Each structure stands twice: as structure tokens, then as C-alpha cells.
Amino acid sequence: EVYAEDWLDGRLRLVQLRAADARGPCWARYLAQLLWKDEELYLQIDSHMRFVPHWDSEMRRQLEMCMAESSKPVLCAYGRGYQ
């Protein structure tokens, strides 16, 4: 079974399931994408992500830079290994 919850008046949405019900990372990302509700910005992370100070300001700066080239930019990254 998969459970979806809204927190902070819907500004934070969460999907939970038992490890035995998991079908892999691609399926988990698909479930997370189902939570999108036409917001202007969308951030998808998992438990392995770490953030540097001011990551949000830097992300917005990069997004603005990309918008000079595309009306629908996508920022993506594959983070460093967690040590």
C-alpha cells in the first residue's frame, strides 16, 4: 500500500510505503511526480541528498540563467556519493 500525505497546508507532500511494497527507484520517482499540482517550481529529492548553504538562492540563479535559453528549463543533478 502507498500512502500520500499533505503537510503545511499542502505545501509539503509525502509518499510513504513499506520497504516490502517498493518497486525500485524509478517507480518511487513516478509516485513522487504524481504529487505535482501545477506549482511554478518543483523539487524532487530523496533521503541521500545533502545541501550546501544558500542552495535555494543558487538554484534560482541557475534557473534564471537557463530561462534565457528556454521557457521551460529543467535543472537536474546526480549528487556526489554520500560519505
Side-chain angles (χ1 to χ4, degrees), residues 18-83:
R18 295 178 318 134
D21 294 332
R23 297 182 192 167
C26 293
W27 181 72
R29 286 186 172 88
Y30 162 75
L31 292 178
Q33 290 170 1
L34 294 177
L35 300 176
W36 180 66
K37 295 182 181 175
D38 295 322
E39 291 87 359
E40 178 186 359
L41 298 173
Y42 170 76
L43 175 65
Q44 183 174 333
I45 61 173
D46 63 27
S47 62
H48 301 97
M49 301 298 293
R50 295 183 295 173
F51 295 90
V52 297
H54 310 291
W55 66 269
D56 51 343
S57 299
E58 177 61 21
M59 187 175 73
R60 285 186 176 270
R61 186 191 68 75
Q62 290 179 14
L63 188 61
E64 285 181 24
M65 194 170 62
C66 292
M67 289 181 81
E69 302 293 326
S70 173
S71 62
K72 294 184 176 183
V74 173
L75 298 179
C76 62
Y78 193 84
R80 293 187 213 161
Y82 192 81
Q83 299 175 2

